[in-house]
Amino acid sequence: MSRVCMALLLLWPARLGAQQGLGPLLRLADKPAPGEWSIPLQILLWMTLLVLLPAAIVSLTPFLRLLVVLHFLRQALGTQSTPSNHVLIGLSLFLSMVLMQPTGERIYQQSLAPLDRGEINLEQALERAAGPVKAFLAKYVREKDVALFIDITHSPRPHNLNDLDLRILMPAYVLSELKIGFQIGAVLFLPFMIIDLLVASITLSLGMLQLPPIMISAPFKILLFVLVDGWNLVVGSLMKSF
């Protein structure tokens, strides 16, 4: 995924300057060749893509499910801000890069590499890049979410998921991932909630009303999580779910 981002940011401006013969400066007044976009329009397009890139990384990759589950895990452990948000975001980002590497390689080989060699134009490159993205999103969307956005957009019924447009697949993927993330988070909460209930019942039976049960249950929950090698189990299960 990082290779794709670097190609988008570095290779395309270099190719643009070489094709147009612009030298070190962009001559905005030059007329584009037939079939090519003007320089201001291309700048506007890439600035828009740069603005949308963080939202795409957060919403249209495994990053969404990973971060939601890790947040629920931290809440279930009752460790407040440990691990910190930066640690959870970094872990989710690196895991997402591992999971998205095959898709990124296909995008690079089918779209960015031919674009850099001058074999295709920008429009063709975008069309080719949409194929691997649609194939990835289609694996994890639910039919119910797809049907919802088909009804909202009044789109024709597709024969299969490969016929769906990205404007339908992208929000459907977000809804599907949120549902799965909340389901996994609820399952993670159960064993720790049982510990909280046991500790609360014991403290109440002993008349320890002034002592918050969380003060006693937190060490037991952390100890249980460490003994079962919880981080390995959670991360391994999340990676295998993709």
Side-chain angles (χ1 to χ4, degrees), residues 84-238:
S84 65
N85 290 331
H86 295 87
V87 174
L88 296 184
I89 292 173
L91 177 59
S92 301
L93 180 60
F94 291 130
L95 295 177
S96 299
M97 292 174 63
V98 174
L99 292 170
M100 291 298 294
Q101 183 178 358
T103 302
E105 289 293 335
R106 286 196 294 271
I107 294 175
Y108 182 83
Q109 295 297 332
Q110 298 177 16
S111 176
L112 296 179
L115 176 65
D116 183 50
R117 294 193 297 265
E119 298 175 357
I120 58 176
N121 57 33
L122 179 59
E123 294 181 3
Q124 293 172 330
L126 292 176
E127 291 178 359
R128 292 190 180 187
V133 175
K134 290 173 64 175
F136 172 79
L137 297 179
K139 292 181 181 178
Y140 306 107
V141 295
R142 299 187 307 158
E143 293 184 3
K144 184 177 181 180
D145 296 326
V146 172
L148 171 64
F149 287 100
I150 289 177
D151 293 337
I152 291 174
T153 59
H154 304 289
S155 301
R157 296 285 176 176
H159 297 289
N160 52 60
L161 290 176
N162 295 327
D163 296 334
L164 288 172
D165 192 74
L166 280 176
R167 66 192 178 98
I168 295 175
L169 277 175
M170 290 190 292
Y173 173 83
V174 174
L175 288 186
S176 301
E177 288 298 286
L178 286 174
K179 178 179 174 59
I180 295 174
F182 274 70
Q183 286 177 336
I184 298 175
V187 173
L188 287 175
F189 252 104
L190 291 178
F192 300 108
M193 184 176 65
I194 293 174
I195 295 178
D196 287 333
L197 292 174
L198 290 175
V199 171
S201 63
I202 293 174
T203 54
L204 287 175
S205 64
L206 295 177
M208 303 169 63
L209 302 179
Q210 302 299 324
L211 181 64
I214 189 65
M215 296 292 294
I216 301 176
S217 63
F220 287 101
K221 291 190 291 186
I222 295 174
L223 180 61
L224 174 64
F225 190 71
V226 172
L227 289 177
V228 299
D229 198 5
W231 287 112
N232 184 279
L233 292 175
V234 172
V235 173
S237 299
L238 283 173

Side-chain angles (χ1 to χ4, degrees), residues 39-66:
I39 301 300
L41 186 57
Q42 294 182 21
I43 294 175
L44 178 62
L45 173 64
W46 286 108
M47 292 298 294
T48 303
L49 291 177
L50 287 176
V51 172
L52 295 177
L53 183 61
I57 293 176
V58 170
S59 302
L60 303 178
T61 64
F63 183 91
L64 177 59
R65 184 192 303 184
L66 295 170

